[in-house]
Amino acid sequence: MKKRSFSHDSPRSKGREAGFTLIELLVVVIIIGLLASLVAPKFFGKIGTSKQKVAKAQIELLGAALDEYRLDNSRYPTTDQGLAALRERPEDISSWAGPYLPKSVPKDPWGNEYVYTSPGENGEYDLLSYGRDGNPGGEGEDADIVSWE
């Protein structure tokens, strides 16, 4: 029986070490960049609509607290009393049974105060966020989010 000898040096490994070439790495980086450029705009576009949904949900929750305030006090807080009346008893209200919010009045998702007026132009009160730009009107993320729609 003849013994076979195995060499650790195969013809493949003589000319080249195992690994990736610079060209192969660049191709992979370019492919990852292309994928990121396709996915990123869709992902970041959803962040804006998510903030609008959060603002709408907060306005609805503040509206429920305002309704509870009205049930106890027979009226909504005045514009001067503002949303702070949901956390701290106004001096001229004796039937206040709050606080009507478990935490402080939140700011909108863009860091601005909610705008509250009572009586409102669109109902007994108006509660709104001016959106990302913080100014009335606008489109997309800059659009107003309101309590009366």
Side-chain angles (χ1 to χ4, degrees), residues 10 22 43 52:
S10 70
L22 181 59
F43 175 73
Q52 290 173 316

Side-chain angles (χ1 to χ4, degrees), residues 8 22 27 37 44 53 72-73 75 77 81 84 91-93 109 132 143 147:
H8 291 287
L22 181 59
V27 168
S37 69
F44 289 116
K53 289 177 183 176
D72 289 344
N73 303 293
R75 65 176 179 83
Q81 292 168 333
E91 292 179 16
D92 60 339
I93 302 292
R132 179 181 59 184
S147 61

Side-chain angles (χ1 to χ4, degrees), residues 21-107:
T21 66
L22 181 59
I23 299 285
E24 291 170 331
L25 290 174
L26 286 174
V27 168
V28 169
V29 168
I30 290 171
I31 290 171
I32 290 172
L34 289 171
L35 289 173
S37 69
L38 293 173
V39 173
K42 291 181 182 181
F43 175 73
F44 289 116
K46 292 198 183 278
I47 290 175
T49 58
S50 295
K51 285 186 177 185
Q52 290 173 316
K53 289 177 183 176
V54 167
K56 188 67 175 170
Q58 285 179 331
I59 286 174
E60 288 176 12
L61 290 172
L62 290 170
L66 286 165
D67 291 340
E68 189 177 343
Y69 179 98
R70 183 182 56 100
L71 288 172
D72 289 344
N73 303 293
S74 301
R75 65 176 179 83
Y76 289 104
T78 65
T79 300
D80 290 336
Q81 292 168 333
L83 296 174
L86 298 173
R87 288 287 301 159
E88 299 173 13
R89 183 178 73 79
E91 292 179 16
D92 60 339
I93 302 292
S94 60
S95 57
W96 191 83
Y100 299 96
L101 291 174
K103 296 180 181 178
S104 61
V105 177
K107 292 188 175 189

